[in-house]
Amino acid sequence: RSTVGDVELWEIKNTSGMDHPFHIHGGQFQIVERELHGNKTPPSFIGWKDTVNIANKEIVRVKMRQSFAGLRMYHCHILEHEDAGMMGTLQVS
């Protein structure tokens, strides 16, 4: 659940053995930092995104703001992974 107008810090962890492109519908985010094997790096480009690749064992922290109410879907942008359940929903009110 999220509230319209709130700015949230999301931590997206990839604990699998391969990269996953994370995507959210109806919202955008800015990357705050990436962490891989304990090494933290700032984003190479500051801009609004709706998809970010998360490498094997990487943690990506993003600032997310929802501008309007509704149901959002987020998922891995590899269709086979989405079909296998790597997805969820976010209720914004």
Side-chain angles (χ1 to χ4, degrees):
R1 295 195 171 278
S2 188
T3 303
V4 171
D6 284 356
V7 176
E8 300 173 333
L9 180 64
W10 287 29
E11 184 174 89
I12 308 163
K13 297 180 182 181
N14 180 353
T15 59
S16 74
M18 64 179 293
D19 289 13
H20 293 284
F22 171 86
H23 174 70
I24 187 162
H25 290 254
Q28 293 182 324
F29 54 82
Q30 290 182 331
I31 297 172
V32 174
E33 71 179 2
R34 304 178 84 104
E35 181 177 342
L36 185 61
H37 307 300
N39 298 315
K40 296 178 182 178
T41 57
S44 56
F45 175 75
I46 302 291
W48 291 103
K49 303 178 180 306
D50 66 3
T51 305
V52 60
N53 187 63
I54 304 173
N56 171 26
K57 307 301 183 204
E58 185 177 37
I59 300 168
V60 176
R61 293 177 185 92
V62 302
K63 282 186 181 178
M64 179 93 62
R65 182 178 186 274
Q66 301 295 336
S67 298
F68 54 92
L71 191 61
R72 310 280 185 280
M73 182 170 86
Y74 57 89
H75 59 89
C76 178
H77 230 240
I78 299 173
L79 294 179
E80 294 86 357
H81 296 176
E82 178 185 340
D83 291 346
M86 195 176 287
M87 61 185 294
T89 57
L90 172 70
Q91 180 63 53
V92 180
S93 52

